Amino acid sequence: MQFSESILASSPFGFAYHKVVLNEKNRPVDYTFLKVNEAFEKLTGLKGKEIIGKSAKEVLPGIDDGSEDWIGTFGDIALKGKSDVIEQYSKPLDRWFQVQVWSDETGYFATLFVDITEKTRARKQIKSKEKEYHEIFSNIAQSIFVIDITPDERFIIKDFNDTQLTYLNMKREDVQGKFIDEVFPKEVADNIISNYQNCLAAGAEISYEEDVSMPGRGRRHYLTTISPIRNESDRIYRFVGISVEITERKGAEEALNQEREFNNAILTSAADGIVACDANGKLVLFNDKAREWHGVDLMKIPVEEAVHHYDLCHLDGETPLKPSEIPLMRAFNGEAVLNAGMSIVPKGKPARYILASGSPIIDERGGKLGAVIMMKDITERIKVERKLQENEERLEATLHSIGDGVISCNKEGSILNINRVAEKLTGWTENDAIGEPIDKVFDIINAHTREKSENPVKRALKEGRIVGLANHTILISKDGVEFQIADSCAPIRDAERNIIGCVLVFRDVTDEYRQREALRASEERFRSLTYNIPGVIYLCNNDERFTMNFISDQVEELTGYPAQDFLKDRISFIDLYHPDDIDWIQDEINQAVNNRESFQLNYRILHRNGSWRWILEHGTGIYSEDDELQYLEGYLTDITERKEAEELVHKASQQLEFHIENSPLAVIVSDENFEVVQWSKSAEELFGWTEEEVLEKRREEWAFTHKDDIESVNQKIDELLQGRKSSNVSRNRNYTKEGKLLNCEWYNSVMFDKNGKIISIFSLVHDVSDREEKERAIKESLAEKEIMLSEIHHRVKNNLAVVSGLMQLQALGTDDDKLQAELYDSVNRIKTMASVHELLYQSDSYSRLDFRDTILQLVNNISETLQASTEVDIDIQCEDIKLNINKAIPASLIVNEVVTNAYKHAFVNREKGRLTFKITDTEGTVSIIIADDGVGIESGRIKKFESLGMHLIQELTNQVNGTFEYVNVNPGTEFRLKFPK
């Protein structure tokens, strides 16, 4: 047998090559190891160098002692040229191997060994466990079943244990491998399958009770639990279930429930409240009455939450009960409670008053089982008792607080009781008056005759009826004070109608006269008010003509007819109503009266002068104590002017609408959130969208504004919405419906209501695309001209610099001092003009120049050119002044002449000097003051213009339309120049 050494060496399987040893009968009796690989050595623990050339019996003693004839098996394969795969247990190695054996040469065979020891042992262990499981499964007392689930969700019985089979009176071979609906009756199968489907839907363990009736078994109750089992793909492929029979428990529960329902019915129907707790103090009973009285079911909420629903108080309904005072707590603590008074005060409801009785509940051995309390409602009794007490107190209080004097007497006329008002009027205290005869205390005379009047008490007792006094009766108090009174006296009878006394009621009517006078004055004020208010007050019947009982005189101004015409029914508002308004006015009033509501109407009436007036009427019904309508009262106002104003507003609105629709500019109206509410035809023509398309979109949905302009547009919108501005202009780019980009100007204005809230935002949109294009062309042209102008200024400056340089060279080359001085003066003048041109081409503006920079450069040029021996201190005070070139060059040349003159003449024979510049702009007039602290100028010379410099100053001042003067100051000289800017 030829093999590659590399294959043999690298094989992961144990490889061995053998030669069979035969006996004299050519029967295999042994085999010799010829070759093994490294994997064989690792697998068996046998080293090749130790076994090569040796027989199997030498290497593996006992190989022929086992039940398997491995030498014969291998020899048969080697002799017959067969192949086989066998499992082999090697007793010497105590290992199981899967061996592939083959022979490609007679007398020789090869083997490949795979160690399957662990696999074989695991298989045997599984078989052992399966056997053990099956014994448990078959012998457990509960019914256990295993159900396989097909992919199409049908249910196949895999196994029932013996308990389940016994109950079903079935054999295992009759059910295994069959569908549920093949084994059980349809009704039972449908119920089982329904529960299986519920478990599939839940995807988790479920439990349920079953009420099952099987032929021959009767009705049974089971508690069944099903657990789903999933495969590697997470599909539920099997159920394992267990059923426990609970038939007896269900019967007991039903009996217990019936008993409990009976007891609950008794407790529920009890007229008294019943509460009970167990030995731990936990509520176990709280019947319907108790729930009704407490306003909550304490069995359903934690006890600590009860304070949110009710309070327990003493019988006063206010003082809270302490926990130790609560009847149930007292009974729980061992006290026998009898008629303990308390009140239950549910939140937001009146108190309920209770008498509670109860005791602890004790078992036969004296152990505490809990406590029970019976509660009796005594609310009505308490209310009656309190009512009686309140009546007595009220009667007492009434007698003492009533505004009239009250005296009660017995049937003999002696005083039994007297109230405070009677004390005040008679001058007698109650203690002094009780027991005294009525005539002594109640001393009355006739106001006209001053004679004593008959006492009404005696007449009432004698005649047995109510007796009143005349209005002219005067009561004389114990102190002699007189009161005009009105009184009456009524007899008091007992149950048999016998007179047992009387009560005298009288009052001081002196104040009544004052009140009548005040009432009369009040009526006069009311009459004056009704006559002076701008509207009309009326009181009328609700009849066909609204007949007037009262109407103020202002009705004549309103209608042209005097009030008397309405009061005497010579005219009615029915006669004045506009024909189109009569029916609906009556309907509105009738509807308001029927609904017991006030009414407000706007309608037209015909004035006596023939004009129509608009009326605003506010009215309401006046009803009797029996809720019957008696009158209509109300107020009428002339609103003709307001109506005319509303009409003007309407016309203005129509005009605005016309202008919006016909404006050449696009008109867009937005709400307070800048959402479009109106889109004019011109807007549609400009942008292409119809109003319907625009109103369907919200602002954030628009792709309307160029992305680079969105931020600036939002800033403009925020200015308006946040009230920082009432109007603004936004310039941005907008797209049309076809995608064309327009340059637009938006003129936005906000309309506010009287409270400052935004009503709407009005926008006029102008397409300025053409104008923008023209402006762009102008700007480009202007930029080109600015470049050219800058170049011109630059070249002028350079040319002037050349001239200045040549003149300086000429000055340096001459020996004539006078000529040299004149040349240097000219150099300074040229430098001054060059400086202006230099500053112009360096400036952002070629038409206007910063004059301060010009002065600084000019002074520096003069100082460098003249190189004076005197050190001159320069102080320049110059406002921010911009001059155009026509003013800047002459003004600069003037300053040059003045400063040059100062350098030459002001500081002769001095080491130091000072020049001060003060340049201001006052309302468009430029003022230049140049002051030195030098020797000054002779007064005679100031007015002469002999030098070239002075002639230049004069001419240049005329060019700028200005004035100048030289003034001597102490010390030095001031030059003053003014010219319009």
Side-chain angles (χ1 to χ4, degrees):
M1 185 176 191
Q2 300 298 320
F3 288 90
S4 169
E5 291 297 329
S6 61
I7 294 175
L8 177 63
S10 61
S11 173
F13 305 110
F15 174 80
Y17 190 58
H18 309 275
K19 179 181 180 182
V20 176
V21 178
L22 304 175
N23 62 10
E24 63 279 2
K25 296 181 181 181
N26 289 324
R27 300 289 299 172
V29 293
D30 205 346
Y31 58 86
T32 304
F33 287 85
L34 300 180
K35 187 175 290 188
V36 297
N37 68 353
E38 185 179 351
F40 179 88
E41 291 178 342
K42 291 180 180 179
L43 196 63
T44 63
L46 301 174
K47 301 299 182 181
K49 63 183 179 179
E50 296 176 353
I51 65 174
I52 298 298
K54 292 184 179 181
S55 68
K57 290 181 179 180
E58 292 176 317
V59 175
L60 302 170
I63 190 173
D64 55 348
D65 293 337
S67 58
E68 297 288 344
D69 182 12
W70 296 115
I71 294 175
T73 300
F74 293 154
D76 186 57
I77 291 172
L79 295 175
K80 294 181 180 180
K82 298 189 301 183
S83 64
D84 200 0
V85 177
I86 59 177
E87 289 186 0
Q88 175 187 6
Y89 173 72
S90 175
K91 186 176 181 181
L93 298 176
D94 190 27
R95 308 293 293 174
W96 279 90
F97 299 98
Q98 185 184 66
V99 185
Q100 183 175 354
V101 189
W102 72 95
S103 174
D104 61 345
E105 184 179 353
T106 302
Y108 295 87
F109 67 93
T111 57
L112 280 177
F113 287 83
V114 178
D115 189 344
I116 60 170
T117 304
E118 297 303 324
K119 179 179 178 181
T120 303
R121 288 174 179 171
R123 187 166 63 241
K124 289 184 177 182
Q125 187 176 12
I126 289 171
K127 287 182 179 180
S128 174
K129 291 292 183 181
E130 285 180 348
K131 183 178 180 181
E132 181 181 351
Y133 154 76
H134 196 269
E135 289 178 357
I136 296 172
F137 178 77
S138 298
N139 296 306
I140 198 167
Q142 286 78 22
S143 295
I144 300 178
F145 53 89
V146 181
I147 306 297
D148 284 342
I149 306 164
T150 67
D152 59 349
E153 296 187 358
R154 294 196 67 190
F155 305 99
I156 300 173
I157 299 171
K158 180 175 179 60
D159 203 359
F160 285 169
N161 74 343
D162 292 350
T163 304
Q164 178 80 338
L165 291 169
T166 300
Y167 165 69
L168 297 174
N169 195 22
M170 296 179 181
K171 295 180 180 179
R172 184 169 279 106
E173 57 269 20
D174 295 335
V175 299
Q176 276 187 330
K178 294 186 177 181
F179 291 107
I180 291 292
D181 50 8
E182 294 176 341
V183 175
F184 293 97
K186 184 177 187 309
E187 183 178 350
V188 176
D190 289 346
N191 184 57
I192 293 172
I193 291 172
S194 174
N195 290 317
Y196 289 175
Q197 290 172 339
N198 290 341
C199 185
L200 274 178
E205 180 180 282
I206 66 169
S207 296
Y208 55 89
E209 291 187 6
E210 292 183 284
D211 184 354
V212 181
S213 295
M214 291 289 291
R217 298 292 295 171
R219 184 181 180 190
R220 291 287 188 271
H221 293 276
Y222 288 89
L223 175 61
T224 299
T225 299
I226 304 174
S227 298
I229 300 175
R230 301 177 184 270
N231 59 17
E232 293 179 352
S233 61
D234 202 37
R235 184 181 76 83
I236 298 174
Y237 75 99
R238 181 171 292 169
F239 287 149
V240 176
I242 182 169
S243 295
V244 180
E245 185 173 355
I246 57 172
T247 305
E248 292 184 0
R249 192 190 80 184
K250 292 294 289 187
E253 286 178 354
E254 289 178 2
L256 182 61
N257 286 337
Q258 290 177 358
E259 182 179 356
R260 185 180 293 113
E261 289 174 2
F262 178 75
N263 292 335
N264 286 340
I266 294 174
L267 294 173
T268 299
S269 60
D272 295 336
I274 305 172
V275 295
C277 66
D278 61 15
N280 297 317
K282 181 180 178 182
L283 278 179
V284 295
L285 177 60
F286 201 74
N287 76 339
D288 287 355
K289 260 322 170 191
R291 286 196 292 272
E292 176 188 341
W293 294 348
H294 287 75
V296 66
D297 188 352
L298 283 185
M299 301 288 286
K300 295 182 178 179
I301 64 170
V303 174
E304 57 268 17
E305 290 186 14
V307 295
H308 301 305
H309 299 276
Y310 67 88
D311 296 315
L312 295 180
C313 301
H314 289 276
L315 278 177
D316 61 5
E318 296 178 356
T319 306
L321 285 177
K322 298 177 182 177
S324 60
E325 296 174 331
I326 298 173
L328 183 61
M329 186 63 71
R330 290 168 59 187
F332 181 75
N333 291 332
E335 180 182 349
V337 181
L338 181 63
N339 292 333
M342 61 179 284
S343 60
I344 303 171
V345 189
K347 299 296 184 183
K349 295 182 179 179
R352 187 174 295 275
Y353 301 95
I354 302 295
L355 284 182
S357 299
S359 64
I361 303 173
I362 309 297
D363 63 16
E364 296 177 352
R365 298 184 297 276
K368 182 168 68 174
L369 299 177
V372 63
I373 288 291
M374 302 282 290
M375 298 180 291
K376 189 173 186 64
D377 186 0
I378 59 169
T379 303
E380 293 304 320
R381 191 186 84 186
I382 291 293
K383 287 181 179 179
V384 171
E385 291 175 352
R386 289 185 176 176
K387 193 70 173 178
L388 290 173
Q389 182 179 358
E390 288 173 2
N391 287 341
E392 290 177 359
E393 293 174 351
R394 187 179 298 110
L395 178 60
E396 184 72 19
T398 300
L399 289 174
H400 285 85
S401 61
I402 194 172
D404 294 345
V406 180
I407 299 175
S408 61
C409 302
N410 59 20
K411 63 182 180 180
E412 285 77 28
S414 298
I415 294 176
L416 299 175
N417 187 278
I418 180 171
N419 74 348
R420 290 188 180 90
V421 176
E423 285 181 331
K424 178 181 178 181
L425 294 177
T426 63
W428 288 75
T429 65
E430 184 176 24
N431 291 334
D432 293 339
I434 291 176
E436 295 291 338
I438 188 63
D439 284 339
K440 184 175 181 182
V441 174
F442 192 69
D443 183 13
I444 55 176
I445 62 172
N446 185 287
H448 299 304
T449 64
R450 304 294 294 177
E451 294 181 356
K452 192 172 185 65
S453 296
E454 182 180 11
N455 198 298
V457 171
K458 292 182 178 180
R459 286 185 58 195
L461 291 173
K462 178 180 179 181
E463 299 175 9
R465 63 181 181 85
I466 298 174
V467 177
L469 286 178
N471 290 333
H472 48 268
T473 301
I474 291 177
L475 171 65
I476 302 175
S477 73
K478 188 177 183 180
D479 301 329
V481 179
E482 296 184 357
F483 300 94
Q484 187 162 357
I485 63 169
D487 70 353
S488 65
C489 184
I492 303 173
R493 300 178 185 271
D494 60 15
E496 286 76 29
R497 302 293 297 169
N498 296 318
I499 295 175
I500 58 174
C502 66
V503 59
L504 174 65
V505 180
F506 57 97
R507 69 181 187 278
D508 180 5
V509 296
T510 307
D511 290 340
E512 281 189 17
Y513 291 117
R514 299 192 188 101
Q515 291 172 359
R516 288 172 186 167
E517 182 62 23
L519 178 60
R520 186 190 64 77
S522 176
E523 289 176 347
E524 287 294 328
R525 286 195 299 273
F526 173 74
R527 189 174 293 107
S528 175
L529 175 64
T530 59
Y531 291 155
N532 288 283
I533 60 175
V536 176
I537 298 174
Y538 69 85
L539 180 71
C540 70
N541 298 330
N542 188 30
D543 54 23
E544 292 182 353
R545 290 183 57 77
F546 297 121
T547 305
M548 291 293 168
N549 295 294
F550 171 80
I551 190 165
S552 60
D553 290 343
Q554 285 81 350
V555 71
E556 185 169 0
E557 181 181 351
L558 185 69
T559 66
Y561 298 94
Q564 287 301 316
D565 285 358
F566 288 93
L567 294 173
K568 294 181 179 180
D569 200 27
R570 288 195 289 265
I571 190 72
S572 168
F573 275 93
I574 288 290
D575 304 326
L576 304 180
Y577 290 149
H578 192 284
D580 295 340
D581 296 342
I582 293 176
D583 292 338
W584 73 261
I585 291 173
Q586 292 176 323
D587 291 342
E588 289 289 329
I589 293 175
N590 290 334
Q591 182 178 350
V593 168
N594 293 335
N595 294 333
R596 299 296 190 267
E597 297 174 346
S598 60
F599 54 86
Q600 178 176 311
L601 309 173
N602 287 337
Y603 52 81
R604 294 160 290 179
I605 64 169
L606 183 63
H607 193 273
R608 194 169 192 172
N609 63 14
S611 63
W612 289 101
R613 300 288 181 90
W614 276 97
I615 304 299
L616 171 62
E617 178 176 357
H618 295 272
T620 187
I622 298 177
Y623 302 88
S624 67
E625 294 181 356
D626 299 329
D627 206 28
E628 292 292 331
L629 178 67
Q630 292 184 315
Y631 306 105
L632 297 176
E633 69 173 1
Y635 180 78
L636 305 175
T637 308
D638 186 346
I639 60 169
T640 304
E641 291 183 358
R642 192 183 81 185
K643 279 292 185 178
E644 291 173 349
E646 290 174 354
E647 181 64 24
L648 288 175
V649 170
H650 176 71
K651 289 180 179 178
S653 176
Q654 293 297 314
Q655 291 173 352
L656 177 61
E657 188 68 24
F658 174 81
H659 291 309
I660 288 175
E661 290 304 317
N662 293 279
S663 171
L665 299 182
V667 181
I668 300 172
V669 182
S670 309
D671 63 13
E672 68 276 10
N673 297 314
F674 226 88
E675 299 290 351
V676 176
V677 296
Q678 189 170 0
W679 182 268
S680 70
K681 290 180 180 178
S682 52
E684 181 178 339
E685 292 171 357
L686 179 61
F687 295 113
W689 283 284
T690 65
E691 186 173 43
E692 292 74 13
E693 291 173 326
V694 172
L695 296 182
E696 288 176 355
K697 293 185 179 182
R698 297 184 61 80
R699 176 157 62 100
E700 59 269 17
E701 297 174 351
W702 277 89
F704 183 58
T705 303
H706 191 282
K707 63 180 182 179
D708 294 339
D709 298 342
I710 290 175
E711 183 177 355
S712 64
V713 169
N714 288 336
Q715 289 175 354
K716 293 292 184 178
I717 292 173
D718 289 342
E719 284 181 355
L720 301 175
L721 297 184
Q722 296 175 13
R724 296 197 298 271
K725 289 186 177 180
S726 61
S727 64
N728 63 25
V729 177
S730 174
R731 295 177 179 86
N732 51 270
R733 291 162 289 177
N734 297 106
Y735 291 101
T736 66
K737 185 176 181 180
E738 290 75 23
K740 181 180 178 182
L741 190 63
L742 302 179
N743 287 286
C744 297
E745 285 185 348
W746 290 64
Y747 301 90
N748 306 305
S749 299
V750 183
M751 183 180 294
F752 299 95
D753 63 15
K754 62 180 181 181
N755 297 318
K757 292 184 63 178
I758 294 176
I759 299 174
S760 62
I761 301 169
F762 190 86
S763 300
L764 293 174
V765 186
H766 184 201
D767 179 7
V768 295
S769 300
D770 291 342
R771 190 184 75 189
E772 290 281 341
E773 184 62 26
K774 292 175 182 177
E775 288 179 353
R776 185 187 63 77
I778 291 171
K779 287 179 181 178
E780 290 176 354
S781 175
L782 181 60
E784 293 174 357
K785 290 179 173 58
E786 286 177 345
I787 293 172
M788 292 175 62
L789 187 59
S790 173
E791 184 63 22
I792 290 170
H793 284 302
H794 183 61
R795 290 181 181 275
V796 169
K797 177 259 181 185
N798 288 342
N799 292 335
L800 290 174
V802 171
V803 173
S804 173
L806 291 173
M807 294 185 74
Q808 278 184 302
L809 290 174
Q810 186 69 31
L812 291 172
T814 184
D815 295 330
D816 188 338
D817 293 339
K818 181 179 179 183
L819 176 60
Q820 187 180 55
E822 290 176 349
L823 288 172
Y824 276 127
D825 288 345
S826 296
V827 166
N828 282 335
R829 295 179 185 117
I830 293 171
K831 281 187 176 182
T832 299
M833 290 186 286
S835 296
V836 172
H837 285 284
E838 180 181 17
L839 290 172
L840 279 171
Y841 82 75
Q842 291 176 348
S843 172
D844 293 334
S845 172
Y846 301 115
S847 61
R848 305 188 71 79
L849 190 67
D850 188 334
F851 199 53
R852 176 181 175 83
D853 293 341
T854 304
I855 296 300
L856 286 173
Q857 190 160 341
L858 186 151
V859 173
N860 289 334
N861 288 339
I862 295 171
S863 177
E864 292 173 358
T865 303
L866 296 180
Q867 298 180 351
S869 59
T870 304
E871 181 182 343
V872 179
D873 184 16
I874 306 298
D875 180 15
I876 300 176
Q877 302 173 22
C878 183
E879 294 180 358
D880 184 15
I881 300 173
K882 299 289 192 297
L883 295 179
N884 62 42
I885 190 170
N886 294 325
K887 295 290 177 77
I889 290 178
S892 299
L893 289 171
I894 292 171
V895 172
N896 174 77
E897 294 302 322
V898 174
V899 174
T900 300
N901 186 60
Y903 264 85
K904 288 181 177 181
H905 306 294
F907 310 116
V908 177
N909 300 323
R910 288 179 56 179
E911 294 181 356
K912 289 187 177 182
R914 180 177 180 83
L915 272 177
T916 302
F917 296 80
K918 185 174 183 181
I919 305 170
T920 60
D921 179 1
T922 304
E923 297 181 354
T925 298
V926 177
S927 171
I928 302 176
I929 299 175
I930 305 173
D932 63 64
D933 60 351
V935 297
I937 302 176
E938 295 178 5
S939 58
R941 292 181 58 198
I942 291 177
K943 297 182 179 180
K944 295 181 179 180
F945 302 97
E946 298 174 351
S947 67
L948 175 62
M950 292 299 288
H951 282 292
L952 283 173
I953 292 173
Q954 178 65 51
E955 291 299 322
L956 292 170
T957 302
N958 292 335
Q959 285 185 27
V960 296
N961 298 320
T963 60
F964 79 94
E965 62 178 335
Y966 268 105
V967 180
N968 278 326
V969 293
N970 189 18
T973 307
E974 271 190 6
F975 174 78
R976 299 171 183 172
L977 172 66
K978 289 186 179 181
F979 60 89
K981 186 177 178 181

